[in-house]
Amino acid sequence: MTKIAIAGAGAMGSRIGSYIKQAGYDVTLIDTWPDHVQAINDKGLEIQTETDTYIVDIPAVLPTDVTGSFDLIIILTKSMHSEAMIHELKERDTIHQDTAILTMMNGLGHDERFAKIVPHEQVFLAVTMWTAGMRGPGQILLEGQGSIELQRADGQSDERTERINKIFNDAGLNAKISDNVFQSIWSKATLNSVLNPLCSILNKTIYEFGSYEYSRDMVTPVIDEIVTVAKTRGVTLDAHAMLEKIEAAYPKETQGLHYPSMHQDLYNGRYTEVDYLNGQISKYGREANIPTPNNDMLTHLIHQLEMKYVK
Amino acid sequence: MTKIAIAGAGAMGSRIGSYIKQAGYDVTLIDTWPDHVQAINDKGLEIQTETDTYIVDIPAVLPTDVTGSFDLIIILTKSMHSEAMIHELKERDTIHQDTAILTMMNGLGHDERFAKIVPHEQVFLAVTMWTAGMRGPGQILLEGQGSIELQRADGQSDERTERINKIFNDAGLNAKISDNVFQSIWSKATLNSVLNPLCSILNKTIYEFGSYEYSRDMVTPVIDEIVTVAKTRGVTLDAHAMLEKIEAAYPKETQGLHYPSMHQDLYNGRYTEVDYLNGQISKYGREANIPTPNNDMLTHLIHQLEMKYVK
């Protein structure tokens, strides 16, 4: 039977893990937060939905206590902790020569970083529209529906891809195998690279940001840089479609009243994932000799604010 | 005898006006703040220095109460109020055909805006390193020394230039006639266009801003844009010298512990002068087909914050 680990069992990892567990698979949650691991082991994972609260029994473990190996490891840590997580899992012999390491994190460049630690053909990429919230140790809040796209990072087709896709669909996670997952990853990263830093720098909701008469003049050059850089990486993005998606988030009826996740990280005293969004775009830009002044400036402004807010 | 008006008698206007008055000239302060005008007329202008407090008797008047005409009008309002002030003074016949209208405000493009209201040959430009603080209505705080450079805005030499220069030097204001006042104006505007918006957006002191490991990477592209735009306006700036001046402001022993004036405006609920700094650079850039992404972004971020903080 396929042995599955969720490495990084925050809100999203717990959602994905609990869905797969409920579909009858062998799932282990791996997380660095001792209280969370303890609570899940003591009382099960408590899941609150819009209509219901229920418990899923699922084993949880600290990375330093992991034993045995896995056939599928889904990486859902914060981006900056993912490499340390894989190093730890590798040292503890949890990765065998067929283990699929699937990153489902936001941001760009994860596959390249992972391929420096494990063979490239073991790395899989996924992008998801599922969301989740954390209520406390062992307690998550689930709203809405989502989907998953996945592909092997080197673009090859693979029997494992089919197997992972089946697991996700058995779990009701609405998955499909993509022949260009980078397209979706970059598309999501574009949205995140615009509203995340801008709303964080300004300490504004998405609606408040969009209420500025010239918000389009702010957003468009950031998008244009990303579209240009994406092209050097073989990814074609539609700048107009990106703009439309961003502007569709402004109304109070959609996501307008929310602060993006980066805002929550920053003002709760945590480092942000800006280096995996705007910062990674700047890096790719430098490699391709393409200037990315907007993404550079946004990255620096967020790092300046991290100096101020991260405890 | 030369009749002199200070239009905009805030801290700086009051300093300049009181110095000239004490040198024996006929000076009138013009200001839109009724309490300030009233206090000066009732009790004189109270000046506190590092060592002394004294009163200067000097007439003050609201713009709508001005009578008679002036030979020299020194404009020291906030940038965004200067055109309304000149319109008012013009309508009230205080400007005759020889009146020198001298702007000593921070920022770029004032001469062009003024030359749309009064003949170009009546417009004079000055840049000053004098500073001043306001303690309350009719009360100012004076520290440090300064200097003034001046020139007729169209570059022509003029007997009035000599006369204004003499007035300033009689008043101990350490003035000189420049043959390239734009150089000094742009140089000062460069410093203001870097630290003013960045420290305001980040809500950081100059020292805190400079403490970021990559502050030079943030500052350099903003300077480079200004240097490139300045060149299209016939002004040659030294990017390296600009960088050195900015970095010289970081230490706690120099200006490090201060917030720039734009920060004070913003967080005290007032509109900033960003449109006359970064915003004007962006405008000149558009006219010359030179991209100014950094100055554009900084301008927009400040306007977004004005939406949040200006009452």
Side-chain angles (χ1 to χ4, degrees):
Chain A
M1 186 180 186
T2 310
K3 281 200 70 188
I4 302 163
I6 312 288
M12 267 296 289
S14 294
R15 180 168 209 169
I16 303 290
S18 66
Y19 279 35
I20 298 175
K21 172 74 177 179
Q22 288 173 284
Y25 287 93
D26 177 349
V27 181
T28 303
L29 303 181
I30 305 173
D31 203 84
T32 55
W33 185 15
D35 290 355
H36 186 49
V37 167
Q38 180 88 49
I40 296 170
N41 285 323
D42 287 353
K43 299 179 286 184
L45 180 67
E46 184 187 306
I47 296 174
Q48 185 180 317
T49 70
E50 279 145 285
T51 56
D52 202 8
T53 299
Y54 60 93
I55 300 284
V56 176
D57 276 317
I58 186 168
V61 66
L62 292 167
T64 46
D65 294 334
V66 179
T67 54
S69 70
F70 299 96
D71 305 305
L72 168 62
I73 301 175
I74 300 171
I75 311 288
L76 267 165
T77 62
K78 285 273 175 191
S79 295
M80 52 284 212
H81 302 138
S82 60
E83 284 162 274
M85 176 66 87
I86 297 185
H87 276 298
E88 179 75 37
L89 295 177
K90 190 181 169 192
E91 275 169 30
R92 302 192 65 79
D93 285 332
T94 61
I95 302 174
H96 59 66
Q97 65 181 14
D98 279 328
T99 300
I101 317 278
L102 178 139
T103 161
M104 208 185 284
M105 301 181 293
N106 283 330
L108 300 166
H110 299 308
D111 54 317
E112 295 168 6
R113 279 183 285 273
F114 287 13
K116 289 180 183 161
I117 309 174
V118 294
H120 198 177
E121 59 270 20
Q122 287 183 243
V123 179
F124 289 73
L125 288 170
V127 57
T128 181
M129 293 296 152
W130 290 95
T131 62
M134 181 68 79
R135 288 171 53 231
Q139 298 179 307
I140 61 169
L141 178 67
L142 304 189
E143 291 172 323
Q145 295 293 307
S147 59
I148 294 174
E149 270 184 65
L150 74 148
Q151 190 181 19
R152 212 172 96 175
D154 59 8
Q156 300 298 303
S157 55
D158 188 321
E159 180 271 332
R160 289 172 299 184
T161 320
E162 303 284 349
R163 193 151 24 114
I164 300 166
N165 191 52
K166 181 175 184 315
I167 293 167
F168 286 155
N169 280 310
D170 286 349
L173 284 164
N174 194 17
K176 69 173 180 191
I177 298 171
S178 173
D179 59 1
N180 190 1
V181 74
F182 287 100
Q183 174 86 24
S184 302
I185 287 172
W186 275 85
S187 176
K188 191 174 178 193
T190 304
L191 307 193
N192 285 329
S193 298
V194 171
L195 293 178
N196 266 294
L198 284 166
C199 291
S200 301
I201 292 160
L202 295 166
N203 194 3
K204 283 194 170 188
T205 62
I206 294 170
Y207 169 76
E208 287 169 337
F209 173 79
S211 301
Y212 174 55
E213 192 180 353
Y214 302 104
S215 58
R216 184 174 289 188
D217 293 341
M218 301 183 74
V219 162
T220 302
V222 187
I223 297 175
D224 288 345
E225 286 177 12
I226 301 174
V227 169
T228 308
V229 168
K231 194 171 279 175
T232 71
R233 314 278 313 169
V235 173
T236 305
L237 297 175
D238 177 341
H240 184 70
M242 293 294 108
L243 178 64
E244 281 190 336
K245 271 198 189 180
I246 287 163
E247 294 191 339
Y250 296 163
K252 291 181 177 174
E253 298 71 30
T254 56
Q255 299 162 63
L257 295 180
H258 290 86
Y259 293 99
S261 59
M262 186 181 284
H263 181 282
Q264 296 169 34
D265 283 338
L266 187 65
Y267 294 98
N268 283 313
R270 295 188 298 263
Y271 285 105
T272 73
E273 297 185 302
V274 73
D275 283 337
Y276 303 86
L277 295 166
N278 310 80
Q280 186 66 46
I281 291 154
S282 293
K283 268 187 209 163
Y284 286 150
R286 281 196 295 279
E287 286 171 24
N289 227 353
I290 286 169
T292 55
N294 284 281
N295 282 283
D296 300 353
M297 178 59 83
L298 295 178
T299 305
H300 286 307
L301 287 170
I302 292 292
H303 284 318
Q304 281 263 15
L305 291 173
E306 286 174 343
M307 281 175 67
K308 201 176 162 81
Y309 291 108
V310 178
K311 308 301 164 206
Chain B
M1 185 178 187
T2 311
K3 280 199 70 186
I4 302 163
I6 312 287
M12 267 295 290
S14 294
R15 181 168 208 168
I16 302 289
S18 66
Y19 278 36
I20 299 174
K21 172 73 178 178
Q22 288 174 284
Y25 287 93
D26 177 347
V27 181
T28 301
L29 303 181
I30 304 172
D31 202 83
T32 54
W33 185 16
D35 289 355
H36 185 49
V37 168
Q38 179 88 48
I40 296 170
N41 286 323
D42 286 354
K43 298 178 286 183
L45 180 66
E46 184 188 306
I47 296 175
Q48 184 179 318
T49 70
E50 279 145 283
T51 55
D52 202 9
T53 299
Y54 60 93
I55 300 283
V56 176
D57 276 317
I58 186 167
V61 66
L62 292 169
T64 46
D65 294 336
V66 179
T67 54
S69 70
F70 299 96
D71 306 304
L72 169 62
I73 301 175
I74 300 171
I75 311 287
L76 267 165
T77 62
K78 285 272 175 192
S79 296
M80 52 283 212
H81 302 137
S82 60
E83 285 162 274
M85 175 66 86
I86 298 185
H87 276 297
E88 179 75 36
L89 295 177
K90 189 180 170 192
E91 276 169 30
R92 303 192 66 78
D93 284 332
T94 61
I95 301 173
H96 59 66
Q97 65 181 16
D98 280 327
T99 301
I101 316 277
L102 178 138
T103 160
M104 208 185 285
M105 300 181 292
N106 283 331
L108 300 166
H110 299 308
D111 54 317
E112 296 168 5
R113 278 183 287 272
F114 287 13
K116 288 180 183 160
I117 311 173
V118 296
H120 198 177
E121 58 272 20
Q122 288 184 245
V123 180
F124 290 71
L125 287 171
V127 58
T128 181
M129 295 295 153
W130 290 96
T131 62
M134 182 67 80
R135 287 171 53 232
Q139 299 178 307
I140 61 170
L141 178 68
L142 304 189
E143 291 172 324
Q145 295 295 306
S147 60
I148 294 175
E149 271 184 63
L150 73 147
Q151 189 180 19
R152 212 173 95 175
D154 60 8
Q156 300 298 303
S157 53
D158 187 323
E159 180 271 331
R160 290 173 297 185
T161 320
E162 303 283 351
R163 192 155 21 118
I164 300 166
N165 191 51
K166 180 176 185 315
I167 292 167
F168 286 154
N169 280 310
D170 287 348
L173 285 164
N174 193 19
K176 69 174 181 192
I177 298 171
S178 173
D179 59 1
N180 190 1
V181 75
F182 287 101
Q183 173 86 25
S184 302
I185 288 173
W186 275 85
S187 176
K188 191 174 179 194
T190 304
L191 306 193
N192 285 331
S193 298
V194 172
L195 293 178
N196 266 295
L198 283 168
C199 291
S200 301
I201 292 161
L202 295 166
N203 193 3
K204 284 195 170 188
T205 62
I206 294 170
Y207 169 76
E208 288 169 336
F209 173 79
S211 301
Y212 174 55
E213 191 180 354
Y214 302 104
S215 59
R216 184 174 289 188
D217 293 340
M218 301 183 73
V219 161
T220 303
V222 187
I223 296 175
D224 288 346
E225 286 177 12
I226 300 174
V227 169
T228 307
V229 168
K231 194 172 278 177
T232 71
R233 314 279 313 168
V235 174
T236 306
L237 297 175
D238 178 342
H240 184 70
M242 293 293 109
L243 178 64
E244 281 189 337
K245 272 198 188 179
I246 287 164
E247 295 190 340
Y250 296 164
K252 290 181 178 174
E253 298 71 30
T254 56
Q255 300 162 63
L257 296 179
H258 290 86
Y259 294 98
S261 59
M262 185 181 284
H263 180 282
Q264 295 168 34
D265 283 338
L266 187 64
Y267 294 98
N268 283 314
R270 296 188 297 263
Y271 284 105
T272 74
E273 297 185 303
V274 73
D275 283 338
Y276 303 86
L277 295 166
N278 310 80
Q280 187 65 46
I281 292 155
S282 292
K283 268 188 210 162
Y284 285 150
R286 281 195 295 278
E287 286 171 26
N289 226 354
I290 287 169
T292 56
N294 284 282
N295 283 283
D296 299 354
M297 178 60 82
L298 294 178
T299 305
H300 286 307
L301 287 171
I302 292 293
H303 284 318
Q304 281 263 15
L305 291 173
E306 285 174 344
M307 281 175 67
K308 199 175 163 83
Y309 291 108
V310 178
K311 307 303 164 205

mmCIF file with all atom_site columns, all heavy atoms in Angstrom, chain B residues 59-71:
data_model
loop_
_atom_site.group_PDB
_atom_site.id
_atom_site.type_symbol
_atom_site.label_atom_id
_atom_site.label_alt_id
_atom_site.label_comp_id
_atom_site.label_asym_id
_atom_site.label_entity_id
_atom_site.label_seq_id
_atom_site.pdbx_PDB_ins_code
_atom_site.Cartn_x
_atom_site.Cartn_y
_atom_site.Cartn_z
_atom_site.occupancy
_atom_site.B_iso_or_equiv
_atom_site.pdbx_formal_charge
_atom_site.auth_seq_id
_atom_site.auth_comp_id
_atom_site.auth_asym_id
_atom_site.auth_atom_id
_atom_site.pdbx_PDB_model_num
ATOM 1  N N   . PRO B 1 59 ? 4.386  92.586 10.542 1.00 0.00 ? 59 PRO B N   1
ATOM 2  C CA  . PRO B 1 59 ? 2.965  92.451 10.226 1.00 0.00 ? 59 PRO B CA  1
ATOM 3  C C   . PRO B 1 59 ? 2.665  91.127 9.532  1.00 0.00 ? 59 PRO B C   1
ATOM 4  O O   . PRO B 1 59 ? 3.465  90.646 8.731  1.00 0.00 ? 59 PRO B O   1
ATOM 5  C CB  . PRO B 1 59 ? 2.687  93.624 9.279  1.00 0.00 ? 59 PRO B CB  1
ATOM 6  C CG  . PRO B 1 59 ? 4.000  93.983 8.694  1.00 0.00 ? 59 PRO B CG  1
ATOM 7  C CD  . PRO B 1 59 ? 5.055  93.592 9.691  1.00 0.00 ? 59 PRO B CD  1
ATOM 8  N N   . ALA B 1 60 ? 1.528  90.547 9.868  1.00 0.00 ? 60 ALA B N   1
ATOM 9  C CA  . ALA B 1 60 ? 1.075  89.317 9.220  1.00 0.00 ? 60 ALA B CA  1
ATOM 10 C C   . ALA B 1 60 ? -0.351 89.516 8.731  1.00 0.00 ? 60 ALA B C   1
ATOM 11 O O   . ALA B 1 60 ? -1.115 90.269 9.328  1.00 0.00 ? 60 ALA B O   1
ATOM 12 C CB  . ALA B 1 60 ? 1.148  88.149 10.194 1.00 0.00 ? 60 ALA B CB  1
ATOM 13 N N   . VAL B 1 61 ? -0.692 88.820 7.643  1.00 0.00 ? 61 VAL B N   1
ATOM 14 C CA  . VAL B 1 61 ? -1.996 89.058 7.026  1.00 0.00 ? 61 VAL B CA  1
ATOM 15 C C   . VAL B 1 61 ? -2.467 87.788 6.302  1.00 0.00 ? 61 VAL B C   1
ATOM 16 O O   . VAL B 1 61 ? -1.640 86.992 5.831  1.00 0.00 ? 61 VAL B O   1
ATOM 17 C CB  . VAL B 1 61 ? -1.888 90.277 6.065  1.00 0.00 ? 61 VAL B CB  1
ATOM 18 C CG1 . VAL B 1 61 ? -0.980 89.966 4.877  1.00 0.00 ? 61 VAL B CG1 1
ATOM 19 C CG2 . VAL B 1 61 ? -3.235 90.751 5.593  1.00 0.00 ? 61 VAL B CG2 1
ATOM 20 N N   . LEU B 1 62 ? -3.775 87.578 6.278  1.00 0.00 ? 62 LEU B N   1
ATOM 21 C CA  . LEU B 1 62 ? -4.335 86.482 5.467  1.00 0.00 ? 62 LEU B CA  1
ATOM 22 C C   . LEU B 1 62 ? -4.254 86.862 3.989  1.00 0.00 ? 62 LEU B C   1
ATOM 23 O O   . LEU B 1 62 ? -4.328 88.058 3.657  1.00 0.00 ? 62 LEU B O   1
ATOM 24 C CB  . LEU B 1 62 ? -5.789 86.233 5.863  1.00 0.00 ? 62 LEU B CB  1
ATOM 25 C CG  . LEU B 1 62 ? -6.027 85.659 7.263  1.00 0.00 ? 62 LEU B CG  1
ATOM 26 C CD1 . LEU B 1 62 ? -7.518 85.735 7.612  1.00 0.00 ? 62 LEU B CD1 1
ATOM 27 C CD2 . LEU B 1 62 ? -5.529 84.217 7.354  1.00 0.00 ? 62 LEU B CD2 1
ATOM 28 N N   . PRO B 1 63 ? -4.121 85.903 3.089  1.00 0.00 ? 63 PRO B N   1
ATOM 29 C CA  . PRO B 1 63 ? -4.022 86.226 1.658  1.00 0.00 ? 63 PRO B CA  1
ATOM 30 C C   . PRO B 1 63 ? -5.208 87.067 1.179  1.00 0.00 ? 63 PRO B C   1
ATOM 31 O O   . PRO B 1 63 ? -5.055 87.942 0.321  1.00 0.00 ? 63 PRO B O   1
ATOM 32 C CB  . PRO B 1 63 ? -4.030 84.857 0.971  1.00 0.00 ? 63 PRO B CB  1
ATOM 33 C CG  . PRO B 1 63 ? -3.593 83.897 2.009  1.00 0.00 ? 63 PRO B CG  1
ATOM 34 C CD  . PRO B 1 63 ? -4.026 84.455 3.329  1.00 0.00 ? 63 PRO B CD  1
ATOM 35 N N   . THR B 1 64 ? -6.371 86.805 1.740  1.00 0.00 ? 64 THR B N   1
ATOM 36 C CA  . THR B 1 64 ? -7.573 87.524 1.310  1.00 0.00 ? 64 THR B CA  1
ATOM 37 C C   . THR B 1 64 ? -7.617 88.954 1.849  1.00 0.00 ? 64 THR B C   1
ATOM 38 O O   . THR B 1 64 ? -8.479 89.734 1.462  1.00 0.00 ? 64 THR B O   1
ATOM 39 C CB  . THR B 1 64 ? -8.832 86.770 1.793  1.00 0.00 ? 64 THR B CB  1
ATOM 40 O OG1 . THR B 1 64 ? -8.636 86.416 3.172  1.00 0.00 ? 64 THR B OG1 1
ATOM 41 C CG2 . THR B 1 64 ? -9.063 85.521 0.967  1.00 0.00 ? 64 THR B CG2 1
ATOM 42 N N   . ASP B 1 65 ? -6.706 89.303 2.744  1.00 0.00 ? 65 ASP B N   1
ATOM 43 C CA  . ASP B 1 65 ? -6.677 90.649 3.321  1.00 0.00 ? 65 ASP B CA  1
ATOM 44 C C   . ASP B 1 65 ? -5.487 91.474 2.835  1.00 0.00 ? 65 ASP B C   1
ATOM 45 O O   . ASP B 1 65 ? -5.271 92.583 3.314  1.00 0.00 ? 65 ASP B O   1
ATOM 46 C CB  . ASP B 1 65 ? -6.628 90.573 4.857  1.00 0.00 ? 65 ASP B CB  1
ATOM 47 C CG  . ASP B 1 65 ? -7.913 89.983 5.444  1.00 0.00 ? 65 ASP B CG  1
ATOM 48 O OD1 . ASP B 1 65 ? -8.954 90.062 4.764  1.00 0.00 ? 65 ASP B OD1 1
ATOM 49 O OD2 . ASP B 1 65 ? -7.846 89.433 6.563  1.00 0.00 ? 65 ASP B OD2 1
ATOM 50 N N   . VAL B 1 66 ? -4.704 90.921 1.920  1.00 0.00 ? 66 VAL B N   1
ATOM 51 C CA  . VAL B 1 66 ? -3.507 91.623 1.445  1.00 0.00 ? 66 VAL B CA  1
ATOM 52 C C   . VAL B 1 66 ? -3.911 92.878 0.675  1.00 0.00 ? 66 VAL B C   1
ATOM 53 O O   . VAL B 1 66 ? -4.841 92.837 -0.128 1.00 0.00 ? 66 VAL B O   1
ATOM 54 C CB  . VAL B 1 66 ? -2.664 90.724 0.521  1.00 0.00 ? 66 VAL B CB  1
ATOM 55 C CG1 . VAL B 1 66 ? -1.433 91.458 0.016  1.00 0.00 ? 66 VAL B CG1 1
ATOM 56 C CG2 . VAL B 1 66 ? -2.245 89.451 1.253  1.00 0.00 ? 66 VAL B CG2 1
ATOM 57 N N   . THR B 1 67 ? -3.207 93.975 0.931  1.00 0.00 ? 67 THR B N   1
ATOM 58 C CA  . THR B 1 67 ? -3.410 95.188 0.122  1.00 0.00 ? 67 THR B CA  1
ATOM 59 C C   . THR B 1 67 ? -2.057 95.722 -0.318 1.00 0.00 ? 67 THR B C   1
ATOM 60 O O   . THR B 1 67 ? -1.031 95.399 0.271  1.00 0.00 ? 67 THR B O   1
ATOM 61 C CB  . THR B 1 67 ? -4.126 96.292 0.936  1.00 0.00 ? 67 THR B CB  1
ATOM 62 O OG1 . THR B 1 67 ? -3.383 96.504 2.147  1.00 0.00 ? 67 THR B OG1 1
ATOM 63 C CG2 . THR B 1 67 ? -5.549 95.900 1.258  1.00 0.00 ? 67 THR B CG2 1
ATOM 64 N N   . GLY B 1 68 ? -2.063 96.539 -1.364 1.00 0.00 ? 68 GLY B N   1
ATOM 65 C CA  . GLY B 1 68 ? -0.823 97.124 -1.873 1.00 0.00 ? 68 GLY B CA  1
ATOM 66 C C   . GLY B 1 68 ? -0.051 96.111 -2.697 1.00 0.00 ? 68 GLY B C   1
ATOM 67 O O   . GLY B 1 68 ? -0.443 94.953 -2.827 1.00 0.00 ? 68 GLY B O   1
ATOM 68 N N   . SER B 1 69 ? 1.057  96.543 -3.273 1.00 0.00 ? 69 SER B N   1
ATOM 69 C CA  . SER B 1 69 ? 1.856  95.631 -4.096 1.00 0.00 ? 69 SER B CA  1
ATOM 70 C C   . SER B 1 69 ? 3.257  95.484 -3.516 1.00 0.00 ? 69 SER B C   1
ATOM 71 O O   . SER B 1 69 ? 3.683  96.275 -2.676 1.00 0.00 ? 69 SER B O   1
ATOM 72 C CB  . SER B 1 69 ? 1.923  96.151 -5.532 1.00 0.00 ? 69 SER B CB  1
ATOM 73 O OG  . SER B 1 69 ? 2.704  97.319 -5.585 1.00 0.00 ? 69 SER B OG  1
ATOM 74 N N   . PHE B 1 70 ? 3.938  94.422 -3.983 1.00 0.00 ? 70 PHE B N   1
ATOM 75 C CA  . PHE B 1 70 ? 5.270  94.090 -3.457 1.00 0.00 ? 70 PHE B CA  1
ATOM 76 C C   . PHE B 1 70 ? 6.296  94.058 -4.586 1.00 0.00 ? 70 PHE B C   1
ATOM 77 O O   . PHE B 1 70 ? 5.967  93.779 -5.737 1.00 0.00 ? 70 PHE B O   1
ATOM 78 C CB  . PHE B 1 70 ? 5.227  92.731 -2.743 1.00 0.00 ? 70 PHE B CB  1
ATOM 79 C CG  . PHE B 1 70 ? 4.283  92.709 -1.574 1.00 0.00 ? 70 PHE B CG  1
ATOM 80 C CD1 . PHE B 1 70 ? 2.990  92.231 -1.726 1.00 0.00 ? 70 PHE B CD1 1
ATOM 81 C CD2 . PHE B 1 70 ? 4.683  93.181 -0.329 1.00 0.00 ? 70 PHE B CD2 1
ATOM 82 C CE1 . PHE B 1 70 ? 2.115  92.220 -0.642 1.00 0.00 ? 70 PHE B CE1 1
ATOM 83 C CE2 . PHE B 1 70 ? 3.812  93.169 0.753  1.00 0.00 ? 70 PHE B CE2 1
ATOM 84 C CZ  . PHE B 1 70 ? 2.520  92.693 0.595  1.00 0.00 ? 70 PHE B CZ  1
ATOM 85 N N   . ASP B 1 71 ? 7.542  94.341 -4.218 1.00 0.00 ? 71 ASP B N   1
ATOM 86 C CA  . ASP B 1 71 ? 8.633  94.256 -5.200 1.00 0.00 ? 71 ASP B CA  1
ATOM 87 C C   . ASP B 1 71 ? 9.241  92.855 -5.228 1.00 0.00 ? 71 ASP B C   1
ATOM 88 O O   . ASP B 1 71 ? 9.775  92.415 -6.239 1.00 0.00 ? 71 ASP B O   1
ATOM 89 C CB  . ASP B 1 71 ? 9.714  95.279 -4.847 1.00 0.00 ? 71 ASP B CB  1
ATOM 90 C CG  . ASP B 1 71 ? 9.137  96.673 -4.725 1.00 0.00 ? 71 ASP B CG  1
ATOM 91 O OD1 . ASP B 1 71 ? 8.513  97.123 -5.712 1.00 0.00 ? 71 ASP B OD1 1
ATOM 92 O OD2 . ASP B 1 71 ? 9.260  97.285 -3.640 1.00 0.00 ? 71 ASP B OD2 1
#
